[in-house]
Amino acid sequence: MDPDGGGSPAVPTPSASTAGAPDAGAAAVEEGGGKQVLVVLVGPPGSGKSTFAEAILGGSGAGRHWARVCQDTIGNGKAGTKIQCLKAAADALKEGKSVLLDRCNLEREQRADFLKLGSHVHVDVHAVVLDLPAKVCISRSVNRRGHEGNLQGGMAAMVVNRMLKKKETPLLTEGFSRIMFCKDDNEIKKAVDMYNALGPSDCLDPGIFGQTTKGPIQVGIMKFLKKPESSEKSSGPKVTPSESMPQMQNHFSKQKTLEAGGTCPVEGENNKKKIEEQSRESIPSDISSRTLAFPSISTADFQFDLDRASDIIVDAVSIVLQKYDNIRLVLVDLSQRSRILSLVKDKAAKKNINSSRFLTFVGDITQLHSKGGLRCNVIANAANWRLKPGGGGVNAAIYNAAGEDLHRATKECADTLRPGSSVTVPLPSTSPLHQREGVTHIIHVLGPNMNPMRPDCLKNDYTKGSKILHEAYTSLFESFVAIAHNSCIEKQNTEPVLEKPVTGVTSPTDLKMKRGCSYDSERTKKHKLVQPNIPSNQAREGDNKRSGVTSTKTWGSWAQALYELAMHPENYKNSDSILEISDDFVVLNDLYPKAKRHVLIVSRRDGLDSLADVKKEHLPLLRTIHSAGVKWAQKFLEGDSSLVFRLGYHSVPSMRQLHLHIISQDFNSSSLKNKKHWNSFTTTFFLDSVDVIEEINQHGSANISSDDRVLAMELRCHRCRSAHPNIPKLKSHIANCKSSFPYHLLQKDRLLSSSTMHMDCS
DNA sequence: GTTCTAGAAC
DNA sequence: GTTCTAGAAC
């Protein structure tokens, strides 16, 4: 075989003859003057690393002994680690073998320890970069089945997308003696042939081979996940292709903005100083990665009523800040006399929103750092539905400032945007906006239109308009939280690579994944209800208006089951579902569990229908119930230490009688069927018991800010916050998502696991 | 809370 | 044709 068959200079022949190579073995490797080789394969999932390694292991070879060290398989079913790979590589090298390192190795940091290993044992360390187009890797990884590391399907697309964004091209200065780039299958085959022909005494020429200059990697996850909608079907605003859609009436005057120097409308101080002070006060130093600057949506060209809009902004901000501790939001407007800024500022103050976590800012959103002293990595764009540059206002300004990179990157992510949704676009590092202002992500967001001169005018239907505007801000903030969360995780945890959280496009309405994810959609099985073992004539009816009931909600007969249980637990004591009965509460398995473990602790206090009725005097009861919850969670953890529990109340429960949910966070249950189920446990609708107790202790009542609207929100993974188009896709995702939980859940014992409860998990 | 089912989405 | 959602009924 001619290893250089194609005559490509990228694939050199071994410098020593491969003919008649001596027999294999560590001694032979030394004798021939050739060295053992550690081949560091560099490439994302789907690039063909394993195929490459297998082809050499299975090839006829020239007598060299090879070992494959593969992170996907080294954990014997569990996720492998870099440490395991390092050890296996060191062992193989000690045995005189050459090593094929089969892991992604895309980042310099991920490669560094293996290069150190190579220098310690005096072997040549080569990099073979499987530099195939992103779309090829994504397509392969999405479509493959039976992958060793179980990275396939839609999840794989997101992982590949994310990993490629972080790719750092190997350099000789890292310590490689040789780096070879393979751009297609043909070049990969030549490289395989070359290593197959490498006898124990052969060595390959040092240097770089096959590299071509390339622009920044533009990966297009949405090409594989999203099917572009036809214009007829789109429910978004429709304009003819030639129309432009300016978002704001006031055209930017950049010169003016710069001179304004970004002054906060409230305090006449220099903004830079103020921002810095605030950062020192209560915000961590790396706050820029957790700051979102956003313009007011829909209030300029789309003519949304400013008073209503300001209510919605403050409400949406309030919700997201309650949910996430460690983020900062900045509403930006160009005008010193901005009415929306002053309305929002007043309402935020009235609502006691922490002014260091939410602020208003006068300035140009494209020059926040250079001219305003405000560091933030993420800015929102008031986009048009076609996600095109032009028009006027914020959209034009951001596209102008970001250059062609933004247009290109946006096209890779999505084609259109519907009112009420958002899409995250990573801004290439080549963009001037990235380089000058440090902006790493743009989140395009589209709000409702009230302007009859613009398409899809809602004709003053503020019921619909307000709903859409709220959805737009919620989607924007959730998209931002996903970025901030990932940024936080990346800093904390550099391995294993495949376990890093992923962020995709964050608009459920625009996200159209290909079908094919497996999901067990069996029709509902009938669950056996708890039946009282006494005649039902003892069951009371019409108790809703009994004195002592403070909430005004009326309960249907079906919603009274827990109340009946709490008042007469003795009637149910033979039921398998009842786990414990005390004077204060009854513990039972939820009849329709939404996770592997899901139990309810039902208060027995008459008059407490839901959290809305709870006052300071009920604190001891709440603490008793909480302790019981912790006890039962601990009991379940003793049976299965892999579970993670959350204890909390529904803001507006369906069933009468105060009850605490203890629910494992796998959400692996056939009873979890719809959006309402999911969102009732994973949004602000679910109030953690620890927070409820604290709020009641401090303010005398629970803060029930969420209502039914949050139950209709987009489906997001409770761990990585990625959005999913429907329940089966979501379930398929959460079954595999290994991202750590959002930051706020990791605080204050909101999550109970074998590690937080200091249990022996061996 | 669930079940049922029409019709939208694929 | 099948899958999935959402709203009505209970």
Side-chain angles (χ1 to χ4, degrees):
Chain A
M1 145 175 40
D2 175 14
D4 196 17
S8 163
V11 189
T13 52
S15 60
S17 163
T18 58
D23 201 8
V29 174
E30 304 281 340
E31 278 170 20
K35 268 182 172 178
Q36 288 165 257
V37 182
L38 168 57
V39 179
V40 176
L41 295 170
V42 178
S47 59
K49 297 183 298 299
S50 295
T51 309
F52 185 102
E54 292 293 349
I56 292 170
L57 290 180
S60 57
R64 183 175 285 261
H65 272 188
W66 289 98
R68 174 189 175 211
V69 173
C70 172
Q71 187 156 329
D72 283 339
T73 55
I74 203 165
N76 288 326
K78 292 182 190 166
T81 66
K82 189 169 83 175
I83 307 286
Q84 288 173 307
C85 291
L86 272 167
K87 185 173 182 312
D91 290 347
L93 290 170
K94 258 185 228 160
E95 290 169 19
K97 293 175 181 169
S98 289
V99 171
L100 293 151
L101 180 60
D102 181 0
R103 63 196 292 277
C104 296
N105 300 309
L106 288 168
E107 291 168 65
R108 218 152 276 152
E109 194 185 328
Q110 289 290 333
R111 301 188 287 260
D113 289 337
F114 294 95
L115 283 150
K116 270 188 216 155
L117 174 68
S119 66
H120 286 152
V121 291
H122 307 294
V123 302
D124 280 342
V125 186
H126 297 177
V128 173
V129 185
L130 303 180
D131 204 14
L132 278 71
K135 65 181 180 183
V136 172
C137 301
I138 291 174
S139 176
R140 282 181 185 169
S141 56
V142 165
N143 294 319
R144 65 190 176 188
R145 291 291 175 266
H147 176 242
E148 289 166 327
N150 198 28
L151 186 69
Q152 55 200 30
M155 179 71 177
M158 289 188 279
V159 171
V160 175
N161 179 51
R162 175 145 203 92
M163 292 175 79
L164 278 173
K165 281 189 288 190
K166 305 193 73 172
K167 177 183 168 186
E168 294 169 307
T169 302
L171 303 169
L172 291 176
T173 50
E174 289 177 48
F176 291 111
S177 62
R178 174 191 174 88
I179 302 171
M180 182 159 57
F181 293 86
C182 303
K183 294 187 295 299
D184 55 36
D185 288 341
N186 190 35
E187 291 188 2
I188 291 174
K189 184 179 181 307
K190 285 179 192 166
V192 167
D193 291 346
M194 192 184 65
Y195 278 101
N196 258 333
L198 191 69
S201 56
D202 300 329
C203 57
L204 295 173
D205 289 337
I208 298 179
F209 302 88
Q211 189 174 26
T212 51
T213 51
K214 276 175 94 173
I217 298 160
Q218 296 293 328
V219 285
I221 185 173
M222 290 314 291
K223 281 188 178 171
F224 303 92
L225 299 181
K226 175 179 180 293
K227 185 175 157 190
E229 292 170 73
S230 70
S231 54
E232 292 86 331
K233 274 191 150 186
S234 168
S235 64
K238 295 171 188 67
V239 293
T240 60
S242 60
E243 275 184 270
S244 64
M245 191 192 271
Q247 290 287 308
M248 299 180 86
Q249 285 174 321
N250 302 330
H251 287 268
F252 269 28
S253 159
K254 285 189 181 171
Q255 292 79 358
K256 216 168 155 187
T257 312
L258 306 190
E259 284 157 17
T263 310
C264 247
V266 209
E267 335 219 349
E269 293 172 0
N270 178 291
N271 243 8
K272 275 189 189 180
K273 205 171 162 190
K274 181 172 173 62
I275 300 291
E276 282 161 12
E277 278 168 8
Q278 284 170 345
S279 297
R280 275 198 300 274
E281 253 173 48
S282 55
I283 306 288
S285 57
D286 60 341
I287 188 63
S288 55
S289 64
R290 294 195 298 279
T291 299
L292 167 73
F294 65 100
S296 173
I297 306 298
S298 290
T299 48
D301 190 43
F302 281 2
Q303 299 180 356
F304 199 97
D305 176 73
L306 294 179
D307 193 44
R308 288 189 173 98
S310 57
D311 282 337
I312 292 166
I313 292 171
V314 172
D315 189 50
V317 163
S318 165
I319 289 172
V320 74
L321 291 186
Q322 276 174 37
K323 192 169 166 187
Y324 303 101
D325 290 335
N326 217 359
I327 56 170
R328 185 171 65 167
L329 305 175
V330 185
L331 176 66
V332 179
D333 197 2
L334 197 57
S335 166
Q336 288 277 15
R337 287 171 299 182
S338 165
R339 177 151 166 72
I340 189 73
L341 287 198
S342 55
L343 282 168
V344 166
K345 191 186 172 328
D346 289 348
K347 289 175 183 178
K350 275 182 194 148
K351 222 172 170 177
N352 288 325
I353 294 179
N354 183 337
S355 62
S356 65
R357 300 189 60 212
F358 174 54
L359 44 148
T360 53
F361 190 90
V362 176
D364 181 344
I365 200 165
T366 67
Q367 302 189 66
L368 292 172
H369 175 50
S370 60
K371 301 294 175 185
L374 173 64
R375 284 184 171 275
C376 71
N377 294 153
V378 186
I379 63 175
N381 177 34
N384 54 52
W385 78 278
R386 289 182 300 154
L387 293 166
K388 289 275 165 61
V394 171
N395 188 61
I398 288 179
Y399 271 101
N400 285 340
E404 178 58 22
D405 285 319
L406 175 60
H407 191 198
R408 204 169 52 237
T410 300
K411 278 199 288 189
E412 295 286 345
C413 292
D415 299 322
T416 58
L417 196 58
R418 290 185 189 179
S421 65
S422 67
V423 58
T424 300
V425 177
L427 190 59
S429 57
T430 46
S431 163
L433 195 53
H434 191 141
Q435 290 172 357
R436 192 188 64 231
E437 305 293 328
V439 175
T440 60
H441 294 78
I442 305 281
I443 304 174
H444 296 296
V445 55
L446 181 62
N449 172 36
M450 294 296 179
N451 182 351
M453 303 299 287
R454 301 285 170 222
D456 268 5
C457 173
L458 292 174
K459 295 175 185 164
N460 271 352
D461 180 352
Y462 272 97
T463 307
K464 203 170 177 182
S466 298
K467 182 171 178 284
I468 294 173
L469 190 59
H470 205 285
E471 285 169 0
Y473 281 112
T474 303
S475 178
L476 166 64
F477 295 153
E478 288 287 349
S479 297
F480 164 64
V481 166
I483 298 166
H485 169 63
N486 287 342
S487 148
C488 176
I489 293 299
E490 280 155 19
K491 279 175 191 150
Q492 290 171 3
N493 180 19
T494 54
E495 66 167 315
V497 174
L498 291 184
E499 290 190 3
K500 284 182 180 171
V502 292
T503 313
V505 165
T506 49
S507 155
T509 48
D510 284 304
L511 183 71
K512 300 271 198 295
M513 290 188 182
K514 282 181 180 170
R515 280 184 170 269
C517 298
S518 67
Y519 168 60
D520 179 11
S521 62
E522 63 177 302
R523 299 298 287 176
T524 319
K525 290 174 195 155
K526 294 265 181 190
H527 292 254
K528 198 179 167 188
L529 286 162
V530 172
Q531 293 294 335
N533 53 10
I534 59 141
S536 61
N537 59 6
Q538 283 192 23
R540 292 186 292 171
E541 289 181 10
D543 276 5
N544 291 348
K545 295 183 179 68
R546 183 195 64 260
S547 64
V549 175
T550 53
S551 54
T552 54
K553 180 171 176 172
T554 54
W555 305 90
S557 56
W558 53 265
Q560 306 269 8
L562 292 182
Y563 175 77
E564 296 303 331
L565 171 75
M567 296 302 112
H568 305 284
E570 67 280 3
N571 295 345
Y572 300 80
K573 64 186 176 192
N574 292 335
S575 164
D576 292 342
S577 295
I578 305 296
L579 303 175
E580 182 183 356
I581 299 175
S582 81
D583 289 345
D584 294 314
F585 56 79
V586 178
V587 183
L588 75 154
N589 281 314
D590 194 297
L591 296 173
Y592 300 91
K594 304 299 182 292
K596 277 186 191 165
R597 280 288 186 185
H598 182 187
V599 305
L600 306 179
I601 302 191
V602 185
S603 151
R604 294 193 60 199
R605 188 77 56 92
D606 198 358
L608 292 186
D609 286 354
S610 72
L611 262 192
D613 303 323
V614 174
K615 299 190 176 64
K616 209 156 191 169
E617 70 209 55
H618 303 117
L619 263 180
L621 173 66
L622 255 62
R623 291 196 173 113
T624 301
I625 288 174
H626 181 85
S627 301
V630 172
K631 184 192 81 180
W632 277 97
Q634 187 148 15
K635 206 173 186 114
F636 297 139
L637 283 166
E638 283 162 11
D640 183 350
S641 63
S642 69
L643 298 175
V644 175
F645 284 94
R646 203 170 160 198
L647 277 56
Y649 297 88
H650 280 161
S651 294
V652 186
S654 299
M655 303 291 285
R656 176 184 176 189
Q657 194 65 9
L658 182 72
H659 56 280
L660 176 75
H661 292 264
I662 290 110
I663 184 162
S664 61
Q665 296 296 295
D666 49 87
F667 295 110
N668 180 1
S669 164
S670 59
S671 294
L672 197 159
K673 294 173 180 173
N674 58 43
K675 191 178 258 188
K676 186 176 176 182
H677 292 157
W678 178 255
N679 283 336
S680 73
F681 290 101
T682 59
T683 66
T684 52
F685 194 83
F686 190 81
L687 301 170
D688 290 282
S689 177
V690 284
D691 295 331
V692 167
I693 290 171
E694 190 178 312
E695 282 158 11
I696 293 172
N697 192 30
Q698 287 181 3
H699 307 113
S701 63
N703 182 1
I704 303 168
S705 58
S706 292
D707 56 27
D708 286 0
R709 284 177 301 177
V710 297
L711 298 180
M713 280 186 348
E714 54 205 13
L715 295 167
R716 281 181 183 275
C717 172
H718 60 311
R719 301 178 77 131
C720 72
R721 307 299 307 162
S722 57
H724 298 270
N726 57 42
I727 290 286
K729 298 270 166 38
L730 173 77
K731 284 191 159 188
S732 169
H733 168 83
I734 60 172
N736 296 307
C737 183
K738 293 185 173 66
S739 293
S740 66
F741 285 90
Y743 179 79
H744 83 284
L745 286 185
L746 301 173
Q747 314 301 308
K748 295 187 184 173
D749 282 337
R750 291 183 178 105
L751 290 177
L752 301 180
S753 66
S754 53
S755 58
T756 62
M757 301 190 77
H758 313 295
M759 295 168 64
D760 178 13
C761 33
S762 57

